[in-house]
Amino acid sequence: MILEMKVPSPGESIKEVEIATWLVKDGDYVEKDQAIAEVDSDKATLELPAEASGIITLKAEEGDAVAVGAVVCLIDTSAAKPSGDAPKTEAKVEAPKAEEKKTEAPKAAPVAENTYATQAPSPAARKILDEKNIQPSDIVGTGKGGRITKDDAVNATPSMGTPTGGSRGSERTKLSMLRRKVAERLVSAKNETAMLTTFNEVNLTNVNKLRTEFKDAFKDKHGLGLGFMSFFTKAVTRALQLYPDVNSMIDGEHKIAYDFCDISVAVSGPKGLMVPVVRNAETLSFRGIESEIKRLAIRARDGQITVDDMTGGTFTISNGGVFGSMLSTPIINPPQSGILGMHNIIERPIAVNGQVVIAPMMYVALSYDHRIIDGRESVGFLVAVKEGLENPIELLMDNNPKKALEL
């Protein structure tokens, strides 16, 4: 029996996918539920499992765009599982013969001896050219028979457009459907929103003290690291409740306001930037936020993020600081109206109560859609984030760190 395998729908509104990688070869025997391909949609990369055991015949090439519901391969379920070594060894044996023929190719005939490009420079000229990293073939000699003289070498200058050694190869590869969609959305955000960025700086001394004091107990109790993201997420959800316009978005001529905070967290995955969503982050504890971010980051790293994981989101947090970024202007994740950019933490001298002290400082940036968020709301929101991080015990932990950390 020949089974036709069709592209399943990876999510609502997705009409086609792209064959990113075939994990099997044409004619291979596959087991039921074995991953046979990775397919890209405009939101995620998903594995395609075999629906039955048998010999597979591929009906699409890597890089092909295939409509949802189209046949991508056939599986002969009546075929017996081969025993011993897999066939197809003949093709592998033939490959070296092609290489042998290459080595037998005749050598190119020598270039005529009387051309200036082949005239060896004098020893003195050679030394000068070596010091300047200039090839003799790049110079027209003025000596007898085109020989390069010392004066030629002294007067020679390297051409800005002339290669002087090193690799000059290039490679052209097609962007994945996911990467193309990300690019499209980023350009759309720049062109279709009135995007503006406001900045502030945060003194993380008190956050660092809390992490140092409780991180071991938190790890022992919950099996999780007490990172910065839980503090920032808590500070953001508090600020969103104080400034709800930042937690809203435009839909045509209407504004949609939300009474919940679904926080999109930008993470780097093997297929590029992923933005999974922490649902109802305003209701989660520090432990809940750390647990959910860890779960989503592992799924992104392992290529298991689904469309549902990334659908929705009312506000985004992007942490470029983990890569060493000092300052940036993050791009809004449409249709959201705001995104907070975190950056690296640098010890800097600052003035505290009239005295200069060294403190762990971070620049933070809020990019927002000025069509729906005014300057007062944007600046007030960022100040509220700063206040929450600089006074976390009172504003984020209700004056009880142990209870807030569930210790």
Side-chain angles (χ1 to χ4, degrees), residues 231-268:
F231 286 92
F232 270 82
T233 303
K234 278 287 188 181
V236 162
T237 57
R238 172 182 174 271
L240 289 175
Q241 291 169 332
L242 293 173
Y243 297 92
D245 279 353
V246 185
N247 197 43
S248 61
M249 57 188 67
I250 287 182
D251 182 14
E253 297 181 351
H254 298 83
K255 179 178 81 171
I256 303 175
Y258 301 95
D259 63 357
F260 56 87
C261 301
D262 281 358
I263 304 300
S264 303
V265 181
V267 297
S268 181

Side-chain angles (χ1 to χ4, degrees), residues 206-391:
N206 291 329
V207 170
N208 279 353
K209 287 180 179 178
L210 285 167
R211 293 181 67 241
T212 300
E213 182 177 355
F214 294 109
K215 66 180 180 181
D216 291 338
F218 192 83
K219 178 76 171 179
D220 293 340
K221 178 73 177 291
H222 306 301
L224 298 165
L226 182 57
F228 288 100
M229 281 303 297
S230 54
F231 286 92
F232 270 82
T233 303
K234 278 287 188 181
V236 162
T237 57
R238 172 182 174 271
L240 289 175
Q241 291 169 332
L242 293 173
Y243 297 92
D245 279 353
V246 185
N247 197 43
S248 61
M249 57 188 67
I250 287 182
D251 182 14
E253 297 181 351
H254 298 83
K255 179 178 81 171
I256 303 175
Y258 301 95
D259 63 357
F260 56 87
C261 301
D262 281 358
I263 304 300
S264 303
V265 181
V267 297
S268 181
K271 296 292 184 178
L273 183 69
M274 305 285 184
V275 194
V277 181
V278 178
R279 311 285 177 186
N280 284 105
E282 79 282 0
T283 67
L284 297 179
S285 64
F286 283 81
R287 178 187 62 81
I289 293 170
E290 292 290 354
S291 177
E292 184 64 0
I293 289 177
K294 180 180 179 180
R295 182 185 73 85
L296 293 170
I298 290 174
R299 288 176 66 82
R301 181 197 65 195
D302 295 343
Q304 297 176 345
I305 282 288
T306 66
V307 173
D308 289 340
D309 289 329
M310 296 190 292
T311 300
T314 62
F315 186 86
T316 296
I317 300 176
S318 177
N319 186 6
V322 297
F323 303 110
S325 172
M326 180 181 180
L327 191 62
S328 68
T329 55
I331 298 178
I332 296 170
N333 179 22
Q336 297 173 19
S337 299
I339 178 172
L340 179 74
M342 300 167 55
H343 301 92
N344 60 358
I345 302 170
I346 300 293
E347 288 195 339
R348 292 191 282 112
I350 63 170
V352 177
N353 297 324
Q355 294 187 343
V356 176
V357 299
I358 304 297
M361 303 298 294
M362 175 192 285
Y363 290 117
V364 288
L366 172 70
S367 292
Y368 61 98
D369 189 345
H370 210 344
R371 296 177 303 166
I372 194 171
I373 303 171
D374 291 332
R376 185 185 73 85
E377 283 74 22
S378 62
V379 173
F381 170 87
L382 201 54
V383 169
V385 171
K386 172 185 172 72
E387 290 172 345
L389 293 168
E390 293 187 346
N391 192 4

